[in-house]
Amino acid sequence: MATHADPLSALTKPNVGVFTDPAHKLWVSESGPSLEEVKKGESLKEGEVTVGIKSTGICGSDIHFWHAGRIGPMVVENDHILGHESAGVVLATHPSVTHLKVGDRVAIEPDLICYQCEPCLTGRYNGCLNMRFLSTPPIDGLLRRYVNHPAVWCHKIGDMSFENGALLEPLSVALGGMARAQIALGDPVLICGAGPIGLITLLCVAAAGAEPIVITDIEQSRLDFAKELCPRVRGYKVERGVGPEDAAKHIVEAAGGVQPKVAMECTGVESSINSAIYSVKFGGKVFVIGVGKPDMQIPFMRLSTQEIDLQFQYRYANTWPRAIRLIESGVVKLERLVTHRFDLEDAVKAFETAADVRSGAIKVQIQSEMDNASW
């Protein structure tokens, strides 16, 4: 049951969501909870709040579920709602919720965990054996106007913009990688891929004091964007047909002859991972954040004889409070990453823009208006 009636009584816009299906269609249609359910508060379960979603970023995984219909074992088998990078305002709270109130601005951590398995009990809940992650089939995502979500996973963002609040999710991906890669002041670092995750990782690596930093991409425009974000970064454009060993030589040259100690691989592409493996120093580390194809060939003997650690990341855990502090303090500034904005009703066009490299898009966000202008 809702705790405040006035904000809810002012709502008139129906709930809609952004759907895809096994046939790779993409459309905007009615979604739950319905406007009537939101206004009555009857759909709220213990510990939940209703959030009016204001901004949602389009992730590469959203594009992949639309175009490919799957990521590894995660398959779109029915009509499915996308989106997991969202921030909004609390519209209603279940009586059991005491730390949030109507009107609070929040960013949504899109986890639904069991709290009972070993990963959950040891604090690494991103490995929950019973994880239900919003937007990963069959769990519907956040690209809706209204969503019910556990209050424990709704993080207060104060007067932070909703755009920045939605960027806390990809920032959390970068922070998860930073923590496990153990990048230190003065470490030479390679970042593979100048997409949103690569660029956010760049900002984090720079804030951590890494030097020199090299970033790679196949698109010069993205390398130029990276240079604008971090003037001291050194870019290397990966040319088609250049093998991993030769690419590694160019990467080291770009770093002034210094081999990276750590490579943050943000593409998940086999050739890029292998280039990173060939580029890092003896005893170095290749940390793979990107998601790629199920099976790959890697230069095993290079890893073995050079004692290179190859590590991987799956989402994140316990990162939101740190991410919020970084944005609030200005240590990490993400505003420039949002290059395109679309209304919720224009979500199909937003996805087409995000999927088209010719658009120049870095991060595309979908924004939803509600009836109360003060929100």
Side-chain angles (χ1 to χ4, degrees):
M1 184 174 181
T3 57
H4 292 262
D6 288 343
L8 295 176
S9 63
L11 298 178
T12 61
K13 294 188 177 183
N15 198 6
V16 295
V18 182
F19 292 80
T20 190
D21 66 7
H24 313 297
K25 297 176 182 176
L26 189 72
W27 72 97
V28 178
S29 184
E30 290 186 10
S31 173
S34 68
L35 175 61
E36 183 178 359
E37 289 173 329
V38 169
K39 296 180 77 167
K40 291 182 177 180
E42 296 173 348
S43 62
L44 278 176
K45 300 176 183 177
E46 184 175 354
E48 287 187 339
V49 297
T50 299
V51 179
I53 303 297
K54 295 289 289 181
S55 292
T56 300
I58 297 177
C59 176
S61 65
D62 295 317
I63 302 294
H64 212 71
F65 281 130
W66 167 35
H67 281 174
R70 69 184 301 156
I71 297 176
M74 299 166 283
V75 182
V76 177
E77 297 180 338
N78 300 289
D79 292 356
H80 178 66
I81 300 175
L82 299 164
H84 58 266
E85 304 176 4
S86 297
V89 61
V90 175
L91 298 177
T93 66
H94 187 276
S96 59
V97 176
T98 59
H99 73 286
L100 291 177
K101 65 182 184 301
V102 171
D104 281 344
R105 300 158 71 93
V106 295
I108 299 178
E109 186 170 352
D111 306 292
L112 298 172
I113 66 174
C114 72
Y115 299 96
Q116 297 178 354
C117 66
E118 181 177 343
C120 284
L121 295 175
T122 56
R124 298 185 66 183
Y125 58 82
N126 55 313
C128 174
L129 302 180
N130 303 292
M131 171 69 77
R132 294 174 296 151
F133 190 88
L134 274 65
S135 81
T136 296
I139 309 302
D140 281 333
L142 295 170
L143 264 172
R144 289 177 268 178
R145 182 168 280 122
Y146 313 117
V147 173
N148 293 340
H149 197 66
V152 69
W153 300 118
C154 294
H155 302 274
K156 291 182 182 180
I157 60 173
D159 60 359
M160 181 187 300
S161 71
F162 292 117
E163 284 192 1
N164 273 344
L167 287 167
L168 289 169
E169 199 277 344
L171 176 56
S172 285
V173 173
L175 291 179
M178 289 282 294
R180 292 186 58 223
Q182 297 181 320
I183 293 171
L185 192 71
D187 280 349
V189 173
L190 165 66
I191 300 169
C192 300
I197 295 298
L199 292 170
I200 293 174
T201 300
L202 167 63
L203 292 172
C204 292
V205 165
E211 177 63 27
I213 307 170
V214 176
I215 191 166
T216 68
D217 204 273
I218 60 174
E219 297 291 336
Q220 185 61 46
S221 61
R222 293 210 163 186
L223 295 177
D224 294 340
F225 191 91
K227 190 74 172 176
E228 293 176 10
L229 282 180
C230 179
R232 65 185 175 90
V233 73
R234 308 165 187 214
Y236 168 62
K237 184 176 184 292
V238 180
E239 301 291 348
R240 299 186 188 279
V242 176
E245 292 184 74
D246 288 334
K249 293 177 183 178
H250 294 306
I251 288 167
V252 174
E253 289 173 0
V258 179
Q259 285 185 281
K261 180 181 178 182
V262 179
M264 303 295 284
E265 211 300 313
C266 302
T267 73
V269 175
E270 181 178 308
S271 59
S272 181
I273 294 171
N274 289 341
S275 295
I277 292 171
Y278 281 113
S279 71
V280 297
K281 64 190 292 186
F282 182 90
K285 178 182 294 184
V286 175
F287 193 92
V288 183
I289 297 175
V291 177
K293 61 185 182 181
D295 299 296
M296 297 186 187
Q297 289 187 327
I298 60 172
F300 175 84
M301 287 307 298
R302 168 71 181 181
L303 292 166
S304 176
T305 61
Q306 297 297 301
E307 292 189 2
I308 296 169
D309 293 336
L310 181 60
Q311 284 186 272
F312 298 86
Q313 176 176 344
Y314 190 58
R315 297 174 180 150
Y316 37 71
N318 306 303
T319 54
W320 246 260
R322 190 165 14 135
I324 290 170
R325 291 195 299 270
L326 288 172
I327 290 184
E328 286 181 334
S329 65
V331 172
V332 175
K333 298 181 180 180
L334 303 180
E335 292 87 350
R336 294 186 61 186
L337 294 176
V338 181
T339 55
H340 294 72
R341 301 163 180 84
F342 293 86
D343 292 335
L344 180 58
E345 288 76 9
D346 295 325
V348 173
K349 186 176 180 181
F351 269 77
E352 291 171 347
T353 301
D356 184 0
V357 67
R358 297 168 300 180
S359 71
I362 300 295
K363 176 59 71 174
V364 176
Q365 285 198 356
I366 295 174
Q367 300 174 339
S368 174
E369 291 300 322
M370 290 175 286
D371 298 86
N372 190 329
S374 66
W375 292 335

